[in-house]
């Protein structure tokens, strides 16, 4: 999530890209999707890492819905990011790699769900709240200073609340019924509620060749941090690991199948704060580099 704020939203897609000796080494293009209150400049170090280890790689950090505009509802953001990503995919005969940070991971999931013929080779989730968020982070206090986590559902699980990105993945384990009734983004993506697109979305998810889940216990923002590897709280706020989640056991969106095929990789790194994942060389070398060939 982390970054800086700026005024105004871009009315159209603006792409900030790094092209160095494009395709000389035959590396697949890399697309980076930022997190909440982020923009392209937070990913310059990551782009440098990629071009040092994979010279000539086309690295595109999408400058869309950045900074304060990242608070807009996620389905709206998905529409914009999808149209920015589509032409990059179409030019890449051998596929692309997608690196998605924090909230950007949820946006990427929405993009792929609605791009059924995508060609993503490696999908890399960098500290993303994949199973939801439920914690009093600095971001929560900034945007909702009058709420504590146990009461935020009163706002988030309303029509107004679902118009703000954070509420689209706010998952209160004590308000399960309200979450399932009101959530319009995370619940359908995770197959927690039935919907007409479930089969298409599942088939699209299964097109991914490698799914890399990166997170760690010192993140300080993603709560529980295990959400970055698809774990989440039960009603007692005890973390239930990915493999024991109901939607995993039902293989609701294809995660169990990918895992059974050996396509899912978990990379847990201690000592990394949320805003440092994309600039940490150890994280890059151990968790990202090998999947960008």
């Amino acid at each position: 999530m982390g970054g800086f704020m700026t005024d105004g939203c871009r009315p159209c897609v603006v792409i900030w890209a790094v092209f160095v000796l494009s395709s000389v080494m035959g590396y697949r293009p890399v697309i980076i999707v930022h997190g909440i209150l982020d923009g392209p400049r937070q990913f310059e170090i990551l782009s440098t890492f990629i071009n040092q280890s994979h010279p000539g790689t086309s690295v595109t950090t999408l400058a869309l819905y950045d900074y304060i505009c990242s608070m807009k509802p996620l389905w709206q953001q998905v529409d914009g990011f999808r149209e920015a990503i589509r032409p990059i995919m179409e030019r890449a005969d051998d596929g692309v790699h997608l690196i998605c940070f924090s909230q950007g991971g949820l946006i990427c999931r929405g993009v792929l769900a609605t791009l059924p013929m995508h060609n993503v080779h490696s999908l890399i989730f960098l500290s993303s709240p994949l199973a939801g968020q439920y914690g009093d982070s600095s971001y929560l206090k900034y945007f909702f200073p009058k709420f504590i986590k146990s009461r935020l559902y009163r706002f988030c699980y309303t029509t107004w609340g679902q118009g703000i990105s954070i509420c689209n993945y706010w998952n209160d384990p004590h308000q399960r019924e309200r979450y399932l009734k009101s959530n319009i983004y995370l619940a359908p993506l995770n197959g927690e509620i039935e919907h007409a697109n479930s089969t298409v979305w599942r088939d699209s998810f299964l097109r991914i060749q490698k799914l890399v889940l990166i997170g760690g216990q010192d993140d300080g923002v993603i709560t529980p941090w295990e959400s970055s590897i698809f774990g989440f709280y039960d009603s007692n706020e005890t973390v239930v690991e990915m493999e024991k989640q109901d939607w995993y056991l039902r293989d609701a969106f294809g995660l169990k199948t990918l895992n059974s095929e050996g396509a899912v990789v978990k990379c847990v790194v201690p000592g990394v704060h949320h805003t440092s994942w994309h600039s940490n060389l150890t994280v890059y070398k151990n968790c990202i580099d090998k999947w960008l060939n």
Side-chain angles (χ1 to χ4, degrees):
M1 295 181 185
F4 302 93
M5 293 174 59
T6 189
D7 295 328
C9 302
R10 286 167 171 76
C12 58
V13 175
V14 180
I15 298 178
W16 178 91
V18 179
F19 295 103
V20 184
L21 303 175
S22 180
S23 300
V24 170
M25 301 296 293
Y27 295 120
R28 294 179 178 89
V30 176
I31 305 168
I32 300 174
V33 176
H34 64 77
I36 201 167
L37 300 184
D38 270 337
R41 70 172 173 263
Q42 277 72 51
F43 296 86
E44 292 174 359
I45 294 175
L46 178 57
S47 297
T48 299
F49 289 162
I50 295 170
N51 270 293
Q52 285 175 343
S53 63
H54 297 77
T57 300
S58 167
V59 183
T60 304
T61 303
L62 298 173
L64 180 67
Y65 290 107
D66 49 6
Y67 308 109
I68 195 64
C69 296
S70 64
M71 295 297 296
K72 289 186 176 293
L74 291 187
W75 281 122
Q76 178 180 331
Q77 295 193 52
V78 164
D79 288 343
F81 277 100
R82 182 179 60 248
E83 296 314 306
I85 289 171
R86 189 198 306 268
I88 302 174
M89 287 184 174
E90 290 175 347
R91 293 193 297 267
D93 294 337
D94 199 30
V96 302
H97 299 307
L98 199 52
I99 302 176
C100 314
F101 174 59
S102 196
Q103 178 178 278
L106 295 175
I107 292 171
C108 287
R109 291 186 62 193
V111 168
L112 297 190
T114 54
L115 269 180
M117 298 307 292
H118 71 79
N119 59 359
V120 171
H121 193 274
S122 296
L123 175 59
I124 301 172
F125 288 134
L126 192 55
S127 191
S128 293
L130 300 170
Q133 171 77 5
Y134 183 69
D136 288 320
S137 70
S138 58
Y139 296 88
L140 180 65
K141 293 173 184 175
Y142 181 86
F143 288 107
F144 304 105
K146 295 182 180 179
F147 285 95
I148 57 175
K149 68 177 185 180
S150 62
R151 296 178 184 171
L152 188 58
Y153 76 89
R154 296 177 181 175
F155 173 74
C156 275
Y157 298 161
T158 66
T159 302
W160 289 103
Q162 289 296 298
I164 296 177
S165 66
I166 290 176
C167 291
N168 290 157
Y169 49 95
W170 186 255
N171 188 356
D172 189 328
H174 309 292
Q175 301 294 332
R176 184 74 181 161
E177 186 175 335
R178 295 187 190 218
Y179 164 77
L180 294 175
K181 182 178 180 180
S182 304
N183 185 276
I184 63 171
Y185 194 82
L186 182 65
L189 273 181
N190 277 350
E192 296 173 278
I193 57 174
E194 294 184 9
H195 55 93
N197 296 313
S198 58
T199 300
V200 173
W201 290 5
R202 186 179 186 277
D203 290 345
S204 181
F205 194 76
L206 289 172
R207 291 178 64 87
I208 299 162
Q209 300 299 305
K210 185 65 69 173
L211 177 63
V212 184
L213 310 175
I214 304 172
Q217 55 267 48
D218 300 308
D219 180 88
V221 171
I222 303 301
T223 312
W225 73 265
E226 290 91 346
S227 184
S228 59
I229 52 174
F230 278 110
F232 204 71
Y233 292 133
D234 62 15
S235 59
N236 296 316
E237 294 191 34
T238 299
V239 174
V240 177
E241 63 184 12
M242 175 183 84
E243 291 83 355
K244 295 181 180 178
Q245 293 287 339
D246 174 69
W247 37 258
Y248 178 90
L249 295 170
R250 290 187 291 106
D251 204 19
F253 63 93
L255 184 59
K256 183 178 181 180
T257 294
L258 283 184
N259 199 28
S260 68
E261 295 172 350
V264 179
V265 176
K266 295 179 184 178
C267 194
V268 176
V269 184
V272 182
H273 185 266
H274 190 69
T275 56
S276 299
W277 287 103
H278 42 71
S279 59
N280 187 297
L281 184 58
T282 298
V283 171
Y284 177 75
K285 287 183 174 179
N286 293 343
C287 305
I288 299 175
D289 180 56
K290 68 183 77 173
W291 309 116
L292 299 183
N293 292 317

